[in-house]
Amino acid sequence: MPELPEVETIRRSLLENVGAVIKDIKFRRTDIIKAQDYEPASVIGQHIREIRRRGKYLIMELEPGYTLVVHLGMTGRFYMQDENAEISASHVHMVISLDNGYKLIYLDPRRFGGVRFLTDPECIFCRMGREPLSPEFTDRYLQEICRDRKVAIKTLLLNQHCIAGIGNIYADEALFDARIRPDRPAGSLRPAEIKRLRKAIVKVLQASINQRGTTFRDFRDGYNKSGEFQELLQVYGKTDCPCKICGQILKKDVIGGRSSHYCEHCQK
Ligand SMILES: [Zn+2]
């Protein structure tokens, strides 16, 4: 599933389309439209003024009062290709033609993602937690959202109302980097551990963005190219692999309904 670094990578690769005018928008399936405050066809003739990200959402700002919000779900891709190139991929559900020689393709085999045509996207973001790469994501904030919570720290990291954009990959990687067991109650973390964890979260997210995200199966950037952070993963998906620090075989547990990989020796 695309998480913050993958969505940010897509955003950056699509930035060259800022300023372009939408010539046409076509749907092959309309059930990917999860919300519409206005007719999708009214974006025709509008400029793409900005492309932003909030958590795992990509936000295309059009004329004032018109935004197109894209969520990639489990298997979604949103990428550009030459206007004249044939669309050979399957599961393409939306095609946006631009006046700069490109078209934007939305593809999603499992259709857990979708698009929203909203007048004000803040209505879906107002209850979302802070952005982990923003200055507002401080030790004190992390301490506050963990305080007195009995829930596993791993589960808390995945809660989008607490922190925006972290999923299974980066929760496992950040907890390994911070040497904290994923099943520890969030409220049991000491101030020094909170500090380590906040640093680790920022570090792994930034490192992944630098490698243009993690591609296991589906993720592609805005040019439809794979990311490279999978080469640098320490624990996520490493069933039966030895810990890169101590050599002990990593443990796999289900925590809060999600499979989690960690080292029983290195993480306390
Ligand atoms: Zn270890």
Side-chain angles (χ1 to χ4, degrees), residues 176 243 245-248 263 265-266:
F176 178 75
C243 169
I245 293 174
C246 73
Q248 187 169 312
C263 176
H265 182 255
C266 294

